[in-house]
Amino acid sequence: MADNGKIAKSVIANIGGSENVENAWHCVTRLRFNLADKDKVDLDAIKNTTGVMGAQFSGDQFQVIIGNSVDDVFNEVEQRLGGTGSAKSSPAADGKKESLVSKLMDIISGIFTPILPALAGTGLIKGVLALLVTLNWMSDKGSWYQVLYMISDSVFYFLPFFVAVSAARKFKTSEFLGLSIAGVLLYPTMVNAYNTVSGGGKVAPIKLFGILNVPYVNYTSSVIPIILAIWLLTYVYRWVKKWMPDTITMMFTPMVTLIIVVPITLVVLGPLGSYVGTGLATGISWLFVHAGPLAGLILGATFPLIVMTGMHYAFVPIIMNNFTVLGYDTTVSPINFITNVAQAGSVFAVAVRSKNKETRQLAISSGISALLGITEPAMYGINLKKKKPFYAALAAGGIAGAFVSFFGVRAYAMSGLSGLTALPVYISATNPMNLLWLVVGIVMSFILAFIFTLVVGFEDDEVKTATVAEKSATPTKTIGGVSILAPVQGQIEALDQVNDPTFAQGIMGKGMAIIPENGDVVAPISGSITVLPDTKHAIGITGDDGTELLIHVGIDTVELHGQYFEPAVKVNEHVEAGQALLHFDLAQIKAAGYDPTVMIIVTNSADFTDVLPMNESGIIYPNEQLLMGIR
């Protein structure tokens, strides 16, 4: 299992350190960064970090592909960055110009990614409610329905508030002033007046300066008007703050800013954003109605490529806008769904055909993940590496995309992940065939990708088999297991007692700890040195029998950067059990304030039935049996 803390530490170190990070956030599978200086990134080092699936620049945004554990890794990243809500400099502070398209994509991604979980959760509730009502398992007049519907509709109805906060963070301005503007757009005066006018009634107009009419526009569930308003707020707030005296700026800068921004929003930006949104939704809908199969074919065959660049989040405002204007999305949501399933079909075909056990295991797990809507493990772990399965998935996605577009399949709510758990958002009491056509498209996409992959084939990973000579050279194992000796002299301690959660919780594997009495470290098994970092505080050994061991000297001693450590071996060197590996200055390490406890970890513990300590306590000496790995 990958160590999230180590992943975060490696990523931050190899993107130029925390001082090079202007902004950081994450989506479902990726860490995303805005960096002050892109030239400081060591791309190869990040890609070679255990637990990282890939890394790339997408425009001026740097992305590190993690997979399902991205949330846990981001928590570690955020702790090390000390918070990511404010940038240290503007994106153009280094004098480099961003392209307009790149900047726009970065803004869209940064605004909408943080609010997707709320939209996904409430959207799925709305889908489940539709299913329950359709099956007559719940009445749409009952109390439970009303409560659940309020939950499901709350985020979407009050979407300008959520977008205001996210946009303010992205534009680096006051979140609370942003909320104030959103509050004006959704104030009962505006909402009630719009409802009255749209129902054919009359309402007294609001006139500014006696000449400027404030149009009554429906801003519930809207996204473009509030983004434009927050964008204006950013510049006005900075401008006012420049000339406002420091003694009164706390009170009067917000006041003057709102007096300027709100009227401009109500008269110009709000209506403009609303009209743009309506036109955009109508235009896209027209395209899919009149050229549906062709549009679906093109988008279905290219959507995984868009996902690879990380720019699929640019479609989020289009999807939201479609829900606001049309009440459904018949464009991106269904296409995203069937292309995810196509990736699963290809990767399951790899699992069926591959003769390599590890490849099969990875293919099955990543295939299940793809069916649930997370395709990066399947794409980066299997399909892209083998190329032909990826091409098969593109072809299947294009064909199935044309099919669902031809039948006008619609998503009626935001689902977050486009996988099997999102099926409820395609249920409609007035359009019962909608779900059926989607299911047909899903099955078509999976089967086509599966068959195409089997037909075109792929280069399988080599299956390593031991020769007769290798088998005869395997050391004798004691009582059906692997004997692991003590590498240092000292007091035995249970691993769960060490003052490091990573080791104590067994995240790295099973093992034991020794509180050392001197600084001499010897090999606990015979094998090859596979790990010896520049900091020299740890040594990894792969035994001749396949046992993988990590000897880690001290807690947080990596911070010593190799001081007080003298290795006696090199990477790839073969050592015999009992051979000297390392010497460390125990007194100096203690004097520097570090815990010198030595951890001995079987990092491939999963390959053993169990790893048992031979003694629970007491003094142990080098070359005495410490652990027994039972196969």
Side-chain angles (χ1 to χ4, degrees):
M1 181 182 293
D3 185 327
N4 297 328
K6 286 186 176 180
I7 295 173
K9 199 169 190 177
S10 174
V11 169
I12 293 173
N14 289 297
I15 59 175
S18 58
E19 64 276 5
N20 195 39
V21 179
E22 293 178 344
N23 200 8
W25 68 103
H26 73 94
C27 57
V28 179
T29 55
R30 306 172 191 217
L31 303 174
R32 295 166 178 261
F33 299 94
N34 292 134
L35 305 176
D37 185 355
K38 295 190 293 184
D39 294 334
K40 292 184 178 180
V41 174
D42 188 340
L43 196 59
D44 291 334
I46 294 175
K47 287 182 177 179
N48 290 328
T49 299
T50 301
V52 172
M53 294 181 179
Q56 63 191 20
F57 279 98
S58 182
D60 293 285
Q61 184 185 110
F62 184 62
Q63 304 170 358
V64 181
I65 302 156
I66 301 296
N68 297 341
S69 61
V70 66
D71 188 51
D72 296 329
V73 175
F74 181 74
N75 289 336
E76 297 285 346
V77 168
E78 199 165 35
Q79 289 179 22
R80 286 164 171 75
L81 292 179
T84 56
S86 59
K88 299 173 181 62
S89 60
S90 66
D94 59 0
K96 298 178 181 178
K97 292 184 178 180
E98 294 181 88
S99 69
L100 180 61
V101 173
S102 174
K103 191 170 185 178
L104 181 61
M105 294 300 101
D106 178 64
I107 289 172
I108 291 173
S109 173
I111 290 175
F112 288 101
T113 299
I115 62 178
L116 282 179
L119 284 165
T122 55
L124 285 176
I125 293 175
K126 184 173 288 189
V128 171
L129 279 178
L131 175 62
L132 295 176
V133 171
T134 301
L135 297 175
N136 292 319
W137 291 353
M138 178 180 284
S139 169
D140 59 2
K141 307 298 182 185
S143 299
W144 267 110
Y145 178 88
Q146 294 177 36
V147 171
L148 291 173
Y149 187 83
M150 285 190 291
I151 296 173
S152 70
D153 200 49
S154 60
V155 176
F156 194 60
Y157 184 90
F158 294 106
L159 192 56
F161 286 108
F162 292 83
V163 176
V165 172
S166 192
R169 289 178 179 174
K170 183 61 182 175
F171 291 137
K172 304 295 180 278
T173 191
S174 170
E175 298 170 16
F176 297 101
L177 289 182
L179 285 169
S180 300
I181 298 171
V184 174
L185 297 182
L186 296 182
Y187 199 74
T189 299
M190 294 294 295
V191 175
N192 294 338
Y194 171 80
N195 290 336
T196 301
V197 171
S198 60
K202 293 185 178 180
V203 177
I206 299 177
K207 287 185 176 290
L208 299 179
F209 309 111
I211 55 173
L212 296 175
N213 272 328
V214 175
Y216 292 122
V217 178
N218 182 19
Y219 293 112
T220 61
S221 307
S222 63
V223 292
I224 299 178
I226 190 63
I227 292 176
L228 294 176
I230 303 302
W231 171 77
L232 176 64
L233 168 69
T234 304
Y235 291 97
V236 174
Y237 185 77
R238 292 173 185 168
W239 174 70
V240 173
K241 197 170 185 179
K242 280 183 181 179
W243 53 262
M244 186 67 67
D246 293 340
T247 53
I248 59 174
T249 188
M250 187 177 73
M251 296 178 293
F252 288 97
T253 295
M255 182 192 77
V256 174
T257 300
L258 290 174
I259 289 175
I260 295 173
V261 173
V262 171
I264 296 176
T265 299
L266 290 174
V267 175
V268 181
L269 297 182
L272 175 63
S274 179
Y275 299 148
V276 168
T278 301
L280 183 63
T282 303
I284 293 175
S285 178
W286 181 91
L287 176 64
F288 271 79
V289 167
H290 291 82
L294 178 60
L297 174 68
I298 295 172
L299 189 58
T302 58
F303 202 81
L305 301 175
I306 298 172
V307 171
M308 287 171 57
T309 67
M311 289 306 173
H312 49 302
Y313 283 95
F315 288 106
V316 173
I318 296 176
I319 297 171
M320 291 182 177
N321 190 64
N322 287 343
F323 287 135
T324 302
V325 178
L326 305 174
Y328 56 82
D329 175 45
T330 188
T331 56
V332 181
S333 299
I335 299 295
N336 190 12
F337 200 143
I338 59 97
T339 56
N340 287 350
V341 172
Q343 293 294 326
S346 287
V347 85
F348 274 119
V350 172
V352 169
R353 188 163 177 173
S354 176
K355 292 182 173 59
N356 185 288
K357 181 180 178 181
E358 293 182 359
T359 300
R360 289 199 305 270
Q361 291 176 342
L362 177 59
I364 292 172
S365 63
S366 61
I368 294 172
S369 178
L371 287 175
L372 296 176
I374 300 176
T375 57
E376 275 83 352
M379 282 204 304
Y380 289 94
I382 298 289
N383 292 343
L384 271 170
K385 285 184 178 180
K386 301 185 179 304
K387 296 183 177 63
K388 289 181 179 179
F390 185 68
Y391 301 149
L394 294 183
I399 295 171
F403 176 84
V404 296
S405 296
F406 177 79
F407 285 98
V409 174
R410 300 174 177 181
Y412 291 95
M414 198 81 180
S415 62
L417 295 178
S418 291
L420 296 181
T421 56
L423 283 172
V425 306
Y426 292 86
I427 297 171
S428 171
T430 59
N431 185 12
M433 292 298 292
N434 187 70
L435 180 62
L436 176 61
W437 293 131
L438 174 68
V439 172
V440 172
I442 290 171
V443 174
M444 176 189 298
S445 181
F446 184 92
I447 292 177
L448 288 177
F450 188 90
I451 293 174
F452 289 168
T453 302
L454 291 181
V455 170
V456 300
F458 55 87
E459 185 176 343
D460 198 8
D461 295 315
E462 181 181 352
V463 180
K464 186 177 180 180
T465 56
T467 64
V468 175
E470 289 173 332
K471 290 177 180 178
S472 63
T474 302
T476 302
K477 302 171 186 176
T478 60
I479 53 175
V482 176
S483 179
I484 301 169
L485 309 179
V488 294
Q489 175 181 324
Q491 179 72 40
I492 298 174
E493 183 178 56
L495 192 61
D496 60 7
Q497 297 301 308
V498 302
N499 190 27
D500 187 316
T502 299
F503 293 107
Q505 295 173 17
I507 294 175
M508 297 291 294
K510 297 180 179 180
M512 287 291 285
I514 299 175
I515 302 173
E517 295 181 347
N518 60 50
D520 295 320
V521 180
V522 300
I525 58 175
S526 298
S528 297
I529 304 298
T530 52
V531 176
L532 182 58
D534 293 339
T535 49
K536 307 169 188 174
H537 70 294
I539 292 180
I541 305 176
T542 297
D544 294 333
D545 60 357
T547 303
E548 297 176 7
L549 283 185
L550 175 68
I551 305 170
H552 193 285
V553 179
I555 296 173
D556 293 330
T557 47
V558 65
E559 298 170 358
L560 293 172
H561 302 292
Q563 191 177 13
Y564 312 133
F565 292 93
E566 296 179 6
V569 292
K570 298 178 181 179
V571 174
N572 297 325
E573 181 177 338
H574 188 275
V575 296
E576 298 296 331
Q579 181 177 333
L581 298 180
L582 174 72
H583 177 78
F584 59 94
D585 193 323
L586 179 60
Q588 292 284 7
I589 290 175
K590 285 183 176 180
Y594 291 91
D595 183 339
T597 301
V598 177
M599 280 72 68
I600 302 91
I601 310 297
V602 180
T603 55
N604 64 334
S605 295
D607 294 342
F608 291 82
T609 303
D610 205 348
V611 177
L612 302 174
M614 300 309 293
N615 291 287
E616 300 288 346
S617 61
I619 298 294
I620 195 167
Y621 295 89
N623 299 320
E624 288 187 348
Q625 191 167 2
L626 176 69
L627 296 166
M628 173 66 68
I630 307 299
R631 292 189 184 276

